[in-house]
Amino acid sequence: MENKKVLSPTIIFIFGGSGDLANRKLIPALYNLFIDKYLPEKFAVIGVGRTTFASDNDYRDKLLEGVQQFSRRKGEPNGQWKSFAEHVSYHELDLLNTETYTSLATWVNDKAKEWDAQPTVIFYLAVAPQLAPAIAVKLSEQKLCLDSTTRRIVFEKPFGHDLQSADELNKLLGTLFDEDQIFRIDHYLGKETVQNIIAFRFANALFEPVWNSNYIDHVQITAAETVGVEDRGGYYEQAGALRDMVQNHILQLLCMVAMEAPISFEANEIRNKKVDVLNAIRKLDPEDVHAHTVRGQYSAGWIKGKQVQAYRQEKSVSPQSPVDTFVAAKFYIDNWRWQNVPFYVRTGKYLHEKTTLITIHFKEAPHYSFPGEAAETWRPNRLTFSIQPETSIRMRFQAKRPGPNMILNPVDMVFNYAEAYDGYEPEAYETLLQDVIEGDPTLFMRADQVEAAWKVITPILEAWQSRPPIDFPNYSPDGWGPEDAEALIARDGHNWVSLPSKNKE
Ligand code: BG6
């Protein structure tokens, strides 16, 4: 697994170094990259924040707990952890204070002298989104990002709250940095199974000829979660499922399925092809919004044997909250390839199963040459990309059931990642951090992508705001969301696919 590229010495500042993201995702990812020898020989990770730690060792001990709890390699933190942790330190600093940045600049200069090299410097903003603009301004004012080839800034979502705020944020960042320095993370793009959609489509001659409205009946994307909003009620009240999941992750999955073949794997080429899809998604009129979308909010209930409270009772949530914890929607892409092919998407909290699935439903065979009884269980072909937790690709086709009579039944041909690659499945953040270190922006959101996605979502947000929901809460935990979500797809003669592993219809 070793990285063959020669990487420059690298300094990674994690702003919000004592926070949840650093603890759960960033440090475990860096640790795994270290074990797999993907980090440069000379590197330093510096947590920056206002929390007090008695010493660097104290900080490292806290990170080790995170690694033991959240890293994919839990069992072997001993020997390797110690060598990794030597590269990690903590600076207690206020990110809104100008002097913080002068001290960081001095630190970088000292390190450059010690290493006798100009390092790549990454500023990872793992902070509350409202702090990001002020930090970006300070980084720029203090000239920490002047060299666009070696200085990079990583932003977590949300990128704005709607089209206007995203546009303002992008304009601000555009005045401070080069677009090439800005890495906007959508962690779904780092998932192995998501990246593999491109390999599947464009490294095989078999599928592309049928990848269009002549052969494909419809596409479904489900991103279901079994958790509620947990302790993120304050954030979620400003977001809702549409902003939290659809504007970014789900539309990115849709782009992977629907994009045209890139001419090359150059970052901007791939990103251009995705923007084309976003721009081609039909923008809904206010009247269409109600026919093409369903919103839901969970009530109190039970999930996996545990009693849970309604969204409106969660901490920092208004008891009258109109915020959506579930969305289902039907999109159309107005271009030659996808004319009239519906893309159904749904996502929600407290659903029956944790699963992210993309299913491509092919049209029926044009002619049934088999006797009636042979074809009772005849089903159209279906391709399923299971993004998580199972990581697989399944192709459903018809087979003859063994026996003297010609009876057909659907079977699955399965490619399973864990089996094929001995369980080697790097976490999304490993891939993304490695790309930031290498300066490869392919899997990151460009400013125009973010705005094109907001253009799809904004009409829905506006129509919903103009008609507050009257039936919330409208779904119980441990199901598949509100009844209307079933109706949305059933009206077109389809049903949601949820459990590929059980080969369920
Ligand atoms: C985040 C959302 O972007 O994605 C969360 O803010 C959500 O609300 C999470 O739970 C889901 O990510 P994953 O990788 O667990 O599917």
Side-chain angles (χ1 to χ4, degrees):
M1 302 303 165
E2 200 165 327
N3 197 357
K4 299 282 179 290
K5 291 183 192 152
V6 180
L7 296 171
S8 320
T10 301
I11 299 174
I12 304 169
F13 287 106
I14 304 180
F15 290 177
S18 58
D20 226 33
L21 184 67
N23 202 37
R24 283 171 181 256
K25 299 286 183 193
L26 304 183
I27 295 294
L30 287 168
Y31 174 56
N32 280 298
L33 287 174
F34 176 76
I35 295 178
D36 288 335
K37 302 196 169 27
Y38 277 117
L39 292 185
E41 211 179 295
K42 288 181 180 154
F43 76 95
V45 178
I46 301 100
V48 182
R50 282 193 305 180
T51 309
T52 305
F53 291 94
S55 63
D56 282 341
N57 274 340
D58 204 22
Y59 179 58
R60 293 169 186 153
D61 286 348
K62 186 197 165 226
L63 298 180
L64 176 58
E65 281 170 28
V67 163
Q68 278 163 338
Q69 201 176 344
F70 302 111
S71 166
R72 68 187 166 91
R73 288 190 181 103
K74 296 180 174 57
E76 52 183 302
N78 306 328
Q80 302 257 35
W81 172 260
K82 208 165 166 301
S83 345
F84 172 77
E86 281 165 10
H87 297 260
V88 180
S89 57
Y90 184 77
H91 292 203
E92 183 184 337
L93 292 167
D94 179 354
L95 288 164
L96 298 179
N97 187 339
T98 304
E99 279 147 30
T100 293
Y101 297 84
T102 29
S103 94
L104 297 187
T106 311
W107 200 91
V108 170
N109 287 337
D110 290 350
K111 209 68 192 164
K113 276 191 206 131
E114 180 192 322
W115 286 345
D116 194 18
Q118 262 318 312
T120 298
V121 185
I122 295 163
F123 298 96
Y124 199 117
L125 273 59
V127 295
Q130 56 275 22
L131 294 181
I135 293 174
V137 168
K138 294 244 182 272
L139 282 170
S140 164
E141 276 174 3
Q142 297 308 310
K143 307 199 178 0
L144 274 154
C145 295
L146 272 188
D147 179 0
S148 65
T149 55
T150 59
R151 304 292 163 104
R152 294 170 198 146
I153 311 102
V154 186
F155 293 90
E156 278 285 333
K157 74 180 239 296
F159 312 112
H161 185 70
D162 52 19
L163 181 57
Q164 195 191 333
S165 53
D167 184 44
E168 283 166 11
L169 181 61
N170 281 334
K171 282 210 174 90
L172 171 72
L173 298 182
T175 60
L176 306 174
F177 314 114
D178 280 1
E179 179 64 28
D180 289 352
Q181 291 179 276
I182 306 174
F183 289 74
R184 298 177 190 81
I185 286 214
D186 181 319
H187 78 279
Y188 269 52
L189 294 180
K191 292 183 192 273
E192 282 294 325
T193 33
V194 173
Q195 294 174 68
N196 193 44
I197 299 170
I198 296 204
F200 181 89
R201 287 190 56 199
F202 303 127
N204 296 294
L206 201 57
F207 306 104
E208 215 34 39
V210 295
W211 210 259
N212 56 52
S213 60
N214 295 332
Y215 295 93
I216 293 179
D217 181 78
H218 72 282
V219 175
Q220 295 183 21
I221 302 178
T222 293
E225 296 188 83
T226 49
V227 291
V229 298
E230 302 179 300
D231 53 2
R232 298 163 74 221
Y235 153 75
Y236 211 82
E237 279 287 90
Q238 304 304 315
L242 187 66
R243 287 189 176 95
D244 187 46
M245 292 291 290
V246 181
Q247 189 272 344
N248 34 69
H249 309 322
I250 289 195
L251 286 182
Q252 285 304 308
L253 294 179
L254 187 147
C255 286
M256 294 295 224
V257 172
M259 67 192 267
E260 295 299 319
I263 297 165
S264 71
F265 272 80
E266 202 267 315
N268 276 332
E269 168 64 5
I270 305 252
R271 299 199 287 181
N272 289 343
K273 292 291 189 276
K274 290 206 217 158
V275 174
D276 286 347
V277 175
L278 292 169
N279 286 334
I281 295 179
R282 193 178 302 163
K283 311 299 174 294
L284 296 173
D285 291 334
E287 278 322 300
D288 292 339
V289 168
H290 298 288
H292 286 234
T293 67
V294 173
R295 56 186 150 163
Q297 189 191 75
Y298 59 78
S299 65
W302 292 83
I303 186 152
K304 317 287 166 234
K306 197 177 119 217
Q307 194 164 21
V308 295
Q309 56 191 1
Y311 175 70
R312 287 178 175 179
Q313 294 158 348
E314 302 275 17
K315 198 167 140 238
S316 312
V317 169
S318 152
Q320 285 87 39
S321 176
V323 166
D324 47 300
T325 60
F326 176 97
V327 185
K330 172 161 83 164
F331 293 115
Y332 284 100
I333 300 173
D334 286 330
N335 62 17
W336 273 48
R337 187 188 283 264
W338 295 114
Q339 204 50 234
N340 295 327
V341 177
F343 283 68
Y344 302 95
V345 307
R346 65 176 172 164
T347 182
K349 300 279 187 195
Y350 277 155
L351 298 185
H352 181 63
E353 203 184 349
K354 167 83 180 166
T355 180
T356 305
L357 277 190
I358 302 173
T359 48
I360 316 292
H361 299 250
F362 289 87
K363 291 190 168 165
E364 297 195 358
H367 173 64
Y368 284 12
S369 38
F370 294 87
E373 64 276 16
E376 266 170 23
T377 53
W378 192 328
R379 297 279 180 277
N381 296 119
R382 185 175 78 202
L383 184 65
T384 302
F385 296 94
S386 180
I387 307 295
Q388 60 183 14
E390 180 181 304
T391 48
S392 65
I393 300 177
R394 300 170 169 259
M395 182 75 224
R396 178 172 74 182
F397 60 96
Q398 306 306 311
K400 179 191 169 299
R401 195 183 290 171
N405 300 324
M406 173 57 84
I407 307 282
L408 302 177
N409 79 300
V411 291
D412 269 0
M413 203 152 66
V414 184
F415 161 71
N416 189 307
Y417 265 79
E419 283 166 22
Y421 297 111
D422 282 343
Y424 174 66
E425 292 182 60
E427 288 276 339
Y429 275 93
E430 291 173 44
T431 308
L432 296 173
L433 276 164
Q434 193 192 336
D435 285 354
V436 178
I437 292 169
E438 291 181 8
D440 178 354
T442 314
L443 297 178
F444 297 82
M445 306 282 290
R446 210 171 50 189
D448 56 339
Q449 275 178 292
V450 174
E451 287 172 29
W454 278 118
K455 283 186 189 147
V456 174
I457 295 304
T458 301
I460 306 176
L461 286 171
E462 287 173 353
W464 283 2
Q465 267 154 20
S466 72
R467 268 205 233 172
I470 47 171
D471 60 348
F472 276 10
N474 60 353
Y475 73 95
S476 306
D478 214 7
W480 287 103
E483 281 278 313
D484 286 351
E486 302 300 324
L488 175 81
I489 192 164
R491 276 200 294 273
D492 297 342
H494 312 303
N495 61 288
W496 291 105
V497 173
S498 54
L499 299 172
S501 51
K502 294 169 194 139
N503 210 8
K504 199 179 137 190
E505 253 309 273

